Amino acid sequence: MTQHLTTGERVAWYRHRRGLSQDVLAGLVGRTADWLGKAENNRIELDRLSVIRALAHALDVSIGDLIGEPTLLEWSKDSGQRTVPALREALMDYRLLTPLIGTPADGEPPTLAALRSDVGEVWDAYQDSRYGFAARQLPPLLADALLVARTCADGEREEANGLLAMTYQGAAMVLGKLGENELAWMAADRGLAAAQLSGNNVIIGSLFRSVTHCLLSTGRFETAAQLVRDAAGFLEPGLGEPTPAYLSVYGTLFLTGAMAAARAEDRATTQEFLREAESAASRLGADANHMWTAFGPTNVAIHRVATAGELGDMQIAAELGPEVDTRGLPVERRVRHNLEVARALSAWNRTDEALAAVLEAEQLAPEQVRHHYMSRDLVLGWVRGTRGRPSQPVADLAERLRVV
């Protein structure tokens, strides 16, 4: 019912449903009624998740309710006509819960080599922002991975559980991008359990990152930051002579933590976590993609821009963002950075540059742009803020994003 509304308009919609006046809701979030009126009428952009969380809490709704998530995953050649519901069914298959009541698939399990290849294919699709393809591949892959983990020989069980964990993490990451936060939590939780059975601290660290992402998406920012501290403490003993994959997972964990701290408006912790990530990136020496982390100095620079935006330092984000060269990173990272830059530029009324950044992102990854609340809210804001008809490029983009 609210898919064609901006975040501010959704606040107004839910406020009316709750029977609250602007004065009352504004007081609950420590703002003035004038500020809330401007936010609801799109004269102030609600572009910080810390503010959106406060409004969601006061209205007793989820952050997803206010930012319009989840959104419908469009059918495509990649996705077929069985998308998120099929993945939901796979995660809720009771046979996944315990071997006492059956196995989730019939027939011969794939070899570890075949499973390793299939898991890599899904993760590559995630980093290419091909969510429809990943959503289509994940249900049978989950069944295969679990079957392998339950039936393999003792000497292969740890690797099999590691691949199962990475399959669950792939599901969690894709579902998170689609706004399916509860399903993402379920997948991350099961993935962490499998990771522990693998005995592989790199995989365990990778799953810690997924759990942190899930906490972020549901507005539990302080808890997410604390999890990063706890997880880092678990990983620190392995930093004496770490592999590149170990350093990458460790550093990426702090990047996720920096976003959590920024959304919690904790500047000191944000900078602390960014410094830890920068130190790990320096030890790594260059951008890399171990364990599909895209970790390195450039990803740290991306997160400096993103955290500045979350802290409300839009001028800093607008100045730093265009200077970061992301061409060597996976598509998902490049596109997310473009959206962060567009948000900062739009906040400074540099709409033409912001539009160019979104259009470039859409050319790289239309599915990611279609499903990210930031791009949808930016475009809706431009449409609402234009007297008369919006420009043709904005109108066409709004049509492609299904926001009008």
Side-chain angles (χ1 to χ4, degrees):
M1 293 175 66
T2 66
Q3 64 178 330
H4 300 313
L5 304 182
T6 65
T7 299
E9 290 165 348
R10 289 190 192 94
V11 169
W13 193 87
Y14 283 108
R15 179 175 61 76
H16 287 298
R17 288 290 303 271
R18 295 302 189 199
L20 299 177
S21 68
Q22 286 186 338
D23 283 326
V24 170
L25 179 58
L28 290 172
V29 297
R31 303 279 182 157
T32 65
D34 179 64
W35 174 88
L36 182 60
K38 289 177 180 177
E40 291 182 349
N41 289 311
N42 303 309
R43 286 180 287 163
I44 292 176
E45 292 183 6
L46 289 174
D47 50 14
R48 296 175 59 199
L49 282 173
S50 59
V51 177
I52 295 170
R53 178 182 67 163
L55 288 163
H57 180 76
L59 291 166
D60 192 28
V61 298
S62 71
I63 289 177
D65 289 326
L66 294 189
I67 64 177
E69 289 185 339
T71 54
L72 183 68
L73 179 58
E74 303 288 346
W75 286 342
S76 67
K77 290 181 180 179
D78 267 356
S79 72
Q81 297 182 6
R82 292 287 290 155
T83 56
V84 173
L87 187 47
R88 178 182 291 109
E89 288 174 14
L91 287 169
M92 298 183 72
D93 185 342
Y94 70 88
R95 294 171 299 176
L96 297 178
L97 300 178
T98 172
L100 297 176
I101 46 179
T103 56
D106 299 321
E108 289 295 316
T111 64
L112 279 177
L115 182 60
R116 198 181 304 120
S117 174
D118 291 344
V119 171
E121 185 179 40
V122 164
W123 271 94
D124 290 344
Y126 166 77
Q127 289 198 317
D128 288 339
S129 301
R130 296 169 57 210
Y131 304 139
F133 176 83
R136 182 178 187 173
Q137 297 297 106
L138 276 162
L141 180 57
L142 281 168
D144 282 348
L146 191 60
L147 186 61
V148 170
R150 288 182 179 174
T151 60
C152 67
D154 289 344
E156 299 177 331
R157 188 148 295 143
E158 289 186 349
E159 182 181 359
N161 277 305
L163 290 170
L164 176 60
M166 294 304 295
T167 304
Y168 274 124
Q169 186 180 5
M173 300 297 275
V174 170
L175 288 164
K177 288 293 186 182
L178 299 176
E180 297 284 353
N181 297 325
E182 286 77 14
L183 289 177
W185 174 266
M186 184 187 301
D189 176 65
R190 292 184 185 172
L192 184 55
Q196 292 174 68
L197 293 175
S198 77
N200 186 326
N201 284 355
V202 172
I203 293 175
I204 292 172
S206 190
L207 267 296
F208 279 140
R209 176 168 63 108
S210 266
V211 174
T212 306
H213 275 297
C214 291
L215 292 171
L216 274 176
S217 65
T218 54
R220 299 178 65 189
F221 306 144
E222 295 83 0
T223 305
Q226 185 58 52
L227 172 57
V228 168
R229 287 196 186 280
D230 294 340
F234 171 81
L235 293 172
E236 277 172 5
L239 291 176
E241 296 182 2
T243 63
Y246 201 99
L247 269 179
S248 297
V249 166
Y250 182 80
T252 304
L253 189 63
F254 277 106
L255 293 182
T256 310
M259 292 298 293
R263 291 175 185 175
E265 301 189 275
D266 183 344
R267 289 178 178 272
T269 301
T270 300
Q271 295 306 315
E272 175 195 346
F273 283 1
L274 286 172
R275 286 192 297 271
E276 287 286 347
E278 189 170 41
S279 175
S282 295
R283 291 184 69 181
L284 189 63
D287 292 331
N289 195 29
H290 303 288
M291 295 295 291
W292 298 278
T293 57
F295 184 69
T298 304
N299 209 349
V300 175
I302 284 175
H303 280 77
R304 288 197 180 280
V305 174
T307 52
E310 293 294 347
L311 287 165
D313 300 329
M314 293 300 181
Q315 183 175 2
I316 294 174
E319 291 173 354
L320 294 179
E323 301 300 317
V324 181
D325 183 358
T326 63
R327 286 173 295 179
L329 297 188
V331 167
E332 184 274 331
R333 288 286 78 208
R334 296 173 62 189
V335 168
R336 177 57 190 271
H337 178 66
N338 267 39
L339 296 183
E340 296 285 358
V341 171
R343 174 175 66 167
L345 293 171
S346 183
W348 281 85
N349 294 317
R350 294 164 63 179
T351 306
D352 290 344
E353 295 169 78
L355 174 61
V358 175
L359 289 174
E360 181 183 46
E362 186 195 29
Q363 189 173 24
L364 287 169
E367 285 188 57
Q368 185 174 353
V369 174
R370 162 80 177 88
H371 288 283
H372 204 287
Y373 82 92
M374 204 179 292
S375 50
R376 298 196 310 271
D377 223 44
L378 279 170
V379 174
L380 262 178
W382 297 334
V383 170
R384 299 284 199 272
T386 303
R387 292 183 179 180
R389 293 180 59 84
S391 68
Q392 198 60 49
V394 170
D396 290 344
L397 179 57
E399 178 67 25
R400 292 195 297 275
L401 298 188
R402 309 286 198 271
V403 295
V404 294

